[in-house]
Amino acid sequence: MNFDRQTVVVTGAGRGLGCAIARAFAAQGARVVVNYRRSRESAETLASEIGGLAVQADITDAAQVDALFTAAEQHFGSTVTTVVNNALADFSFNGDGRSKADSITWDQFDAQFQGAVRGALTTTQRALPGMRAAGFGRIVNVGTNLFQNPVVPYHDYTASKAALLSLTRTLAADLGADGITVNMVSGGLLRTTDASAATPDEVFDLIAASTPLQRVVTPEEFADALLFFASPWSRSVTGQNLVVDGGLVKD
C-alpha cells in the first residue's frame, strides 16, 4: 500500500521525535493522526501544518485509544493502516541525574513498561480489526540501541525497550498471516529532542566521535529511516530491528 493510501497514527507526536515522524509521513502523502497526551498546542499546530488530525489520548488507556482510533476513522473515512508507537513515558536522558542501581525503584521501571509495552499493545490491539479486514497493516515500534550498547545505564528505560523488541518479534510471528508486519527502529541519542535536552554537549561530541559518520543522528534522519517499514519496499520484512545511530552499534 502506497503512502497516499495509508492512515497513520503516530503516538506522542506533539513534540520531539514524534513531530519529525509525523512530518515525514505527511511529506509522503499519508493521512496523519498526531496523537498527544499533554502537548495540545504544538500538536494542533503541527496537524494544521501537515493537514492531519490532532487527538489527545493516553495510550496506556484502552478507552482513550479506542476514542483516538474512532476519531481518526471518522475524520479520514478509512481505517488506520499504520501505527507508529513512539510515545515515551516521562523521561530525561541525563546521565548525571539518572537513578543508579542502588536507588532505582520498581515504580520507575513500571512507568517505562506501561508507556513502552502496554502502550504498544493497546494501540496494536485496537488497530487489528481494521488491519485484518484490509489484509494490510504496518506497526512500527521505536526502540533504542542502549540494550546493545548501554553506554549510559538507564535501567528502567532500556529494560522497557528490550521488552518492546520481544513484543515486536512475537507480534510479527502472530500477525504475519494477516498481512500485518511488525518492526522496530532503534536509535541512539538524537540531537536534539525534549528528552535529550538535558544531555551535555560533551556527551553529544563523544558519541559523534565514536560513529563512522562522525555526527549524531537528528530526529529527521531517524524518521526517514522509519518510513521504510511502512513503505511498499518492506513488504517481506517483519520482526526486524533496524538500528539508526550513525553506525555506533553494528547489529
Side-chain angles (χ1 to χ4, degrees):
M1 185 178 291
N2 292 328
F3 286 111
D4 60 3
R5 295 177 56 204
Q6 294 188 36
T7 299
V8 184
V9 169
V10 182
T11 67
R15 59 194 178 101
L17 175 59
C19 179
I21 295 170
R23 289 186 183 279
F25 273 97
Q28 298 301 315
R31 300 177 289 267
V32 179
V33 182
V34 179
N35 161 249
Y36 68 96
R37 183 163 59 105
R38 290 195 298 257
S39 306
R40 178 177 179 178
E41 183 176 352
S42 58
E44 290 182 345
T45 298
L46 172 62
S48 178
E49 291 175 358
I50 66 175
L53 174 69
V55 183
Q56 191 278 336
D58 178 345
I59 61 165
T60 66
D61 186 312
Q64 293 187 43
V65 169
D66 181 58
L68 163 67
F69 277 69
T70 299
E73 292 160 356
Q74 291 176 346
H75 181 81
F76 289 116
S78 65
T79 58
V80 172
T81 63
T82 309
V83 176
V84 179
N85 287 304
N86 163 76
L88 174 65
D90 293 333
F91 193 80
S92 176
F93 294 100
N94 182 350
D96 292 332
R98 70 181 178 86
S99 295
K100 308 297 197 299
D102 55 355
S103 62
I104 195 167
T105 66
W106 178 251
D107 285 345
Q108 290 173 271
F109 278 91
D110 186 59
Q112 294 305 312
F113 273 79
Q114 290 284 329
V117 182
R118 183 175 182 174
L121 179 62
T122 302
T123 59
T124 297
Q125 289 178 331
R126 175 57 179 83
L128 286 182
M131 290 180 174
R132 282 173 169 150
F136 174 91
R138 296 291 179 264
I139 299 166
V140 189
N141 298 321
V142 173
T144 181
N145 67 359
L146 284 170
F147 55 80
Q148 293 127 320
N149 182 38
V151 59
V152 179
Y154 296 113
H155 305 291
D156 47 350
Y157 172 79
T158 304
S160 72
K161 292 297 189 177
L164 182 58
L165 177 57
S166 294
L167 181 64
T168 298
R169 289 175 169 161
T170 56
L171 286 173
D174 208 16
L175 302 177
D178 296 314
I180 301 168
T181 66
V182 190
N183 292 286
M184 175 179 275
V185 181
S186 291
L189 193 64
L190 299 178
R191 194 167 200 166
T192 306
T193 66
D194 292 349
S196 64
T199 302
D201 286 341
E202 53 267 27
V203 174
F204 283 114
D205 294 341
L206 176 64
I207 291 174
S210 303
T211 69
L213 295 182
Q214 296 289 287
R215 57 185 174 81
V216 176
V217 174
T218 67
E220 291 74 21
E221 290 170 329
F222 184 90
D224 286 345
L226 188 147
L227 290 173
F228 168 71
F229 286 125
S231 76
W233 296 280
S234 69
R235 60 189 180 273
S236 295
V237 181
T238 195
Q240 302 304 308
N241 178 35
L242 175 64
V243 179
V244 180
D245 63 2
L248 181 65
V249 170
K250 300 172 182 64
D251 184 18

